[in-house]
Amino acid sequence: MTLYNEILPEFQKYGAELLGISVDGVWCHTAFAKDRHLHFPLLADFEPKGAVAKKYGAYRNADGFAERALFVIDPEGKIFWSYCSPIAVNPGADGILEALEDLSLQRKNNEHVESSSLAR
């Protein structure tokens, strides 16, 4: 999470909103965010435990934890890109930044195609 906090301007460059979410409670998130000086919201998927993580396929029923999962959700609310890694593996930021770049390029291309068809 601290890595994402450090590169928050990169997310903002793409007009992206960064959110963290875990199956921990609000009190854990408050302490975690304060301790690490995070500048983005942390959401609690605590009650019912893991409801959001289950919908995104990141919840582990066996032990009640969620994998480290990253999602880029497009402006229409659809998953554009996702990556799920084991709890012990930090997924880094390269993949998510590449996905934001790809989404940005796709949106620009779509706008260009739409404006070209309107000009005819």
Side-chain angles (χ1 to χ4, degrees):
M1 292 282 187
T2 55
L3 169 64
Y4 302 122
N5 197 53
E6 290 174 16
I7 62 168
L8 193 55
E10 289 295 311
F11 288 93
Q12 294 166 339
K13 180 173 89 174
Y14 294 106
E17 185 174 346
L18 178 63
L19 303 171
I21 184 169
S22 82
V23 296
D24 294 322
V26 174
W27 59 93
C28 292
H29 290 169
T30 301
F32 184 87
K34 183 178 178 183
D35 183 57
R36 288 164 180 79
H37 308 288
L38 299 182
H39 299 289
F40 57 89
L42 299 178
L43 308 176
D45 187 15
F46 186 69
E47 190 60 45
K49 187 170 184 173
V52 174
K54 288 174 186 172
K55 289 183 185 223
Y56 282 87
Y59 190 75
R60 298 184 339 187
N61 285 313
D63 59 10
F65 290 101
E67 302 289 350
R68 291 179 183 237
L70 304 173
F71 297 92
V72 172
I73 300 172
D74 71 15
E76 289 77 40
K78 297 178 184 167
I79 296 173
F80 177 78
W81 175 89
S82 66
Y83 176 76
C84 193
S85 67
I87 290 175
V89 177
N90 185 332
D94 292 340
I96 199 165
L97 291 174
E98 288 174 19
L100 288 170
E101 177 69 21
D102 291 346
L103 178 59
S104 176
L105 290 172
Q106 179 180 314
R107 291 178 68 204
K108 286 178 185 173
N109 288 339
N110 288 346
E111 288 172 6
H112 176 71
V113 169
E114 289 174 11
S115 66
S116 294
S117 64
L118 291 175
R120 294 179 194 189

